[in-house]
Amino acid sequence: MVAPLRVGIAGLGTVGAEVVRLIEQQGRVLTERTGRPVKVVAVTARSKKKRAIDLAGIKWAKDPLALAADPEVDCFVELMGGSGDPALSAIDTALKAGKSVVTANKALIAKHGLKLAKAAEKSGGALNFEAAVGAAIPVIKTLREGLAGTGISRVYGILNGTCNYILTRMEQEGLSFDECLKDAQRLGYAEADPSFDIHGHDTAQKLAILASLAFGTQVAEKSIYVEGISSIAPEDLKAADELGYRVKLLGVAMRTAKGIEQRVHPTMVPKSSSIAQVMGVTNAVTIDGEGIPPITLVGPGAGGAATASAVVADIADVARGIRAAPFGRPVDKLQATEKAPMERHEGGYYIRLMARDHAGTAATIATRLAEQKISIESIVQRHPPGSEPLKTGAKGGPVPVILITYATHEDAVHKALQAVQRDKVISGKPQVIRIEKN
């Protein structure tokens, strides 16, 4: 009889409790698939409150460090969260003791992943974190193993369900950002303090991990340009719809002639693209590989059951004896990367201006764009319903003008719009949204 894989779980929240339940429920299947039994032998959590799972026969460790050092535990599962202690010290302790580690902690992997991967290399244990990005979507395994023989040119996706839910509701119901955010909080899709999600930082942590796997670079969250969705207005989503686009908060990492570009920001994507069809709290990741059509993985990116399924899959790999390099290659082979200035980004742009409705305004805007060699693909001017076109020389209130540019550089767009503002032919701040082609 093969000895069971003895699992210790730190953290018994929604995900941890579901992991315990899944291992119990799928015990026979796991044994058949991995060739050895998988057994939860010890747990720890902040409190011993009653939970809707059976913990009979399972040892209760006094704290995460004690659990990580327990000689009767082969695989330490960290589900506490947080980018520092106790999660960091507990994982480090487990790895140095020669144990394998499974975690769903994106913040920890984004900040300390290289250090922990080095410890795993030294000890020979596994460090698995599939659940850290996309929950049930197997994007880590796809990049690290499934596409090991494929050169990756771009990986991008919807990595935050809260933001995708808000943008979906705004588009479908014409609601404001604030209205949709409040509803997301009421339904439990957004935290009481939603800033980490809506300002793009959650997406950035996940993108940092994906970029490392895709391009062999060191995990570097600080190298990512980050912009959130709070500036998006219903009129932007309506205009996008009419122009054949949909607005999504995307995390994008791509290989360019100047290096690896990493960015998080609201993005217009063609409605014909796979990623544009992903609505609500669902996540999706598209991978562009050399010699193959784009691959899009879609699924639940959060939630207890979805996250637990990825955690148990990682535990199953440990039981099988799989010891893949955490980031696809040895840590000392991962290349350093610098933050690519967004001024060098090249692509198409959506620009919405509140133009002063009088003679000469359009010519001034066109001149400033031409000075920066920006070509316009389309231009739409919207007068308020029922209003009459102004006569030559007459003046009225600001009128929305929407421009779609051909590919240009970010610094050119900013210089042109700064000049237009100095000319005082527009009111307020221009709205600029980048366009990501298929």
Side-chain angles (χ1 to χ4, degrees), residues 244-301:
Y245 293 96
R246 190 163 273 145
V247 177
K248 300 292 183 182
L249 180 74
L250 292 189
V252 183
M254 61 186 296
R255 192 185 298 281
T256 74
K258 303 174 181 117
I260 305 302
E261 182 179 277
Q262 300 180 67
R263 47 194 167 86
V264 173
H265 51 74
T267 311
M268 283 195 174
V269 293
K271 281 199 275 189
S272 59
S273 65
S274 298
I275 215 152
Q277 316 308 317
V278 179
M279 310 297 275
V281 296
T282 305
N283 283 197
V285 179
T286 295
I287 302 166
D288 292 344
E290 296 173 7
I292 60 173
I295 297 171
T296 300
L297 306 172
V298 181

Side-chain angles (χ1 to χ4, degrees), residues 106-392:
K106 64 182 180 296
L108 187 70
I109 296 300
K111 188 172 183 179
H112 300 291
L114 298 184
K115 172 188 173 182
L116 297 175
K118 195 74 175 175
E121 286 177 11
K122 188 173 181 180
S123 70
L127 174 62
N128 294 342
F129 46 85
E130 183 67 66
V133 182
I137 305 172
V139 63
I140 303 291
K141 191 178 289 288
T142 299
L143 286 170
R144 187 176 60 199
E145 298 160 38
L147 296 175
T150 302
I152 307 298
S153 57
R154 179 176 61 162
V155 56
Y156 64 101
I158 299 166
L159 302 174
N160 184 273
T162 298
C163 290
N164 204 44
Y165 171 82
I166 290 171
L167 291 172
T168 298
R169 290 286 306 278
M170 288 178 69
E171 176 192 341
Q172 293 179 342
E173 301 176 40
L175 301 174
S176 70
F177 171 82
D178 288 337
E179 288 176 301
C180 290
L181 174 58
K182 288 178 182 176
D183 205 37
Q185 289 172 315
R186 180 181 63 81
L187 294 169
Y189 296 145
E191 302 288 344
D193 178 4
S195 56
F196 195 71
D197 291 320
I198 64 174
H199 295 324
H201 301 297
D202 174 77
T203 297
Q205 288 182 341
K206 296 170 183 175
L207 182 67
I209 296 168
L210 294 183
S212 177
L213 289 157
F215 303 112
T217 55
Q218 295 175 7
V219 182
E221 185 185 350
K222 292 181 180 178
S223 296
I224 302 175
Y225 170 85
V226 183
E227 183 182 316
I229 64 169
S230 58
S231 67
I232 301 299
E235 48 264 43
D236 297 318
L237 300 175
K238 183 178 180 182
D241 179 58
E242 294 173 358
L243 293 164
Y245 293 96
R246 190 163 273 145
V247 177
K248 300 292 183 182
L249 180 74
L250 292 189
V252 183
M254 61 186 296
R255 192 185 298 281
T256 74
K258 303 174 181 117
I260 305 302
E261 182 179 277
Q262 300 180 67
R263 47 194 167 86
V264 173
H265 51 74
T267 311
M268 283 195 174
V269 293
K271 281 199 275 189
S272 59
S273 65
S274 298
I275 215 152
Q277 316 308 317
V278 179
M279 310 297 275
V281 296
T282 305
N283 283 197
V285 179
T286 295
I287 302 166
D288 292 344
E290 296 173 7
I292 60 173
I295 297 171
T296 300
L297 306 172
V298 181
T307 306
S309 72
V311 170
V312 174
D314 275 348
I315 294 171
D317 276 351
V318 173
R320 291 185 182 104
I322 296 172
R323 299 293 184 268
F327 294 98
R329 62 199 78 190
V331 173
D332 61 5
K333 299 294 184 183
L334 298 173
Q335 299 178 355
T337 181
E338 296 182 1
K339 185 172 184 176
M342 279 303 292
E343 291 78 10
R344 288 190 277 174
H345 172 67
E346 184 175 356
Y349 289 80
Y350 159 96
I351 303 169
R352 176 168 56 83
L353 308 169
M354 294 303 294
R356 300 191 187 282
D357 201 353
H358 59 73
T361 291
T364 299
I365 294 171
T367 297
R368 295 307 187 191
L369 293 170
E371 288 172 352
Q372 299 300 325
K373 297 181 172 54
I374 298 173
S375 299
I376 302 300
E377 182 177 335
S378 65
I379 180 169
V380 178
Q381 182 175 341
R382 285 195 171 91
H383 286 269
S387 66
E388 294 293 330
L390 294 174
K391 297 178 181 179
T392 303

Side-chain angles (χ1 to χ4, degrees), residues 31 35 76 108 135 204 384:
T31 301
F76 177 71
L108 187 70

